[in-house]
Amino acid sequence: MRSFRPVAIAALLTAAVAACGAPTHDATANEHSAKPGDAIAAAVAAPTRSADNVARDTYRHPAETLAFFGVKPGDTVVELWPGGGWYTEILAPLTKAGGGTLYVAAPWERGLNRIKEKQAADADTYGALQLAEFPHAGANPKVPDGSADVVLTFRNVHNWRFGGTDNTANAFKQIFAMLKPGGVLGVVDHRLPEDMDSALEEKSGYMKRSSVVAFAEAAGFKLAGESDINANPKDTHDYEKGVWTLPPNLREGETDRDKYLAIGESDRMTLKFVKPAS
């Protein structure tokens, strides 16, 4: 019995501390121990997201995609070429809640105009965003070298490819520079099957996995993982008007509209690259 007395005393002390209220630092520790997946889920469910964007979650799988890339709410995150801000609507509340930093980088300034509109309409959600030029070409703000934990680009590598291989190589080189050692580059893009003509990369909106990997590895990245989260086996990849034949663009208008709606959004690769730690 005597050997158990210290345990009993410890239990009484623990109960007494609990009765008096937990220390402030313990409460803070518990708050910051929330799983990143929970924070991502909360950001995906943010009431500030537009209804039209939420409707596309079924194709874009944002919670699963961000979790696969290892995005954490306290990270310094860079979103490249955000377009209308589909992912910005998730990343802004995610980093705000976690004390992180979000850079949004695109051609200066036209590529950032729609993000500026969001900032003007909702400063509470988007006011802290850092705007930067990408690819950086001069005196405009840039993402500082070695500052980012994660760089994300969604359906953009094909846009860089339209400008030629040199432009694509430069984009990956600049991404490599902005990441910390050990940092992650997450890429989602429309997937061109490997047995199809590579020339289609210049006009179809689709990219071969091997091409994206080659550009990334040439810049110094290592492929760390890939996922079929955003795959769509219904996509035949062979449309006269390219990937924009499918929703949400539906460039054929009413022609075969139901057919393309049944296919859904494009087949996409989801690739995770890492900047080596040394």
Side-chain angles (χ1 to χ4, degrees):
M1 291 292 292
R2 294 175 64 183
S3 61
F4 290 93
R5 288 181 63 190
V7 176
I9 292 170
L12 289 171
L13 289 172
T14 300
V17 170
C20 294
T24 302
H25 68 272
D26 285 345
T28 304
N30 290 336
E31 178 183 342
H32 289 288
S33 66
K35 296 179 180 178
D38 296 338
I40 291 172
V44 170
T48 49
R49 294 186 67 204
S50 72
D52 287 346
N53 284 348
V54 171
R56 298 179 68 189
D57 286 0
T58 186
Y59 298 115
R60 295 191 167 187
H61 313 101
E64 297 88 343
T65 300
L66 294 177
F68 175 72
F69 290 145
V71 179
K72 299 184 291 296
D75 283 345
T76 294
V77 180
V78 180
E79 183 187 7
L80 301 178
W81 288 32
W86 196 94
Y87 258 99
T88 313
E89 287 189 0
I90 298 170
L91 295 170
L94 176 67
T95 51
K96 178 185 176 184
T101 300
L102 176 60
Y103 283 90
V104 179
W108 196 269
E109 297 181 12
R110 60 183 175 82
L112 296 167
N113 285 340
R114 295 175 71 183
I115 301 303
K116 290 180 179 180
E117 290 172 4
K118 286 184 176 295
Q119 289 184 309
D122 184 357
D124 184 57
T125 302
Y126 303 105
L129 299 189
Q130 302 292 310
L131 304 181
E133 181 180 47
F134 179 83
H136 188 253
N140 297 315
K142 63 175 286 187
V143 178
D145 289 352
S147 65
D149 296 293
V150 184
V151 175
L152 302 171
T153 185
F154 302 99
R155 302 166 310 283
N156 285 315
V157 178
H158 67 276
N159 290 318
W160 308 336
R161 184 70 179 88
F162 287 159
T165 57
D166 288 346
N167 285 347
T168 314
N170 177 53
F172 276 92
K173 181 180 179 180
Q174 290 195 21
I175 295 168
F176 190 85
M178 66 179 66
L179 278 164
K180 300 174 182 177
V184 168
L185 165 62
V187 176
V188 177
D189 215 326
H190 313 292
R191 173 167 37 204
L192 182 68
E194 293 293 326
D195 60 356
M196 295 184 73
D197 186 355
S198 294
L200 290 170
E201 293 182 346
E202 287 281 2
K203 60 183 181 179
S204 70
Y206 291 96
M207 287 283 298
K208 289 187 177 182
R209 171 195 175 278
S210 59
S211 296
V212 177
V213 171
F215 280 119
E217 290 183 342
F221 287 103
K222 302 296 183 184
L223 181 65
E226 51 193 299
S227 172
D228 282 333
I229 296 167
N230 297 298
N232 181 0
K234 295 180 181 179
D235 184 0
T236 58
H237 315 86
D238 59 355
Y239 317 105
E240 182 180 351
K241 296 183 180 179
V243 70
W244 305 280
T245 303
L246 299 176
N249 297 91
L250 295 169
R251 281 199 178 169
E252 294 287 1
E254 293 302 316
T255 303
D256 292 327
R257 181 183 179 89
D258 290 342
K259 169 187 171 181
Y260 298 128
L261 286 173
I263 292 173
E265 295 193 16
S266 68
D267 175 38
R268 294 161 185 165
M269 59 186 134
T270 304
L271 307 175
K272 179 179 179 179
F273 298 96
V274 173
K275 178 177 181 175
S278 59

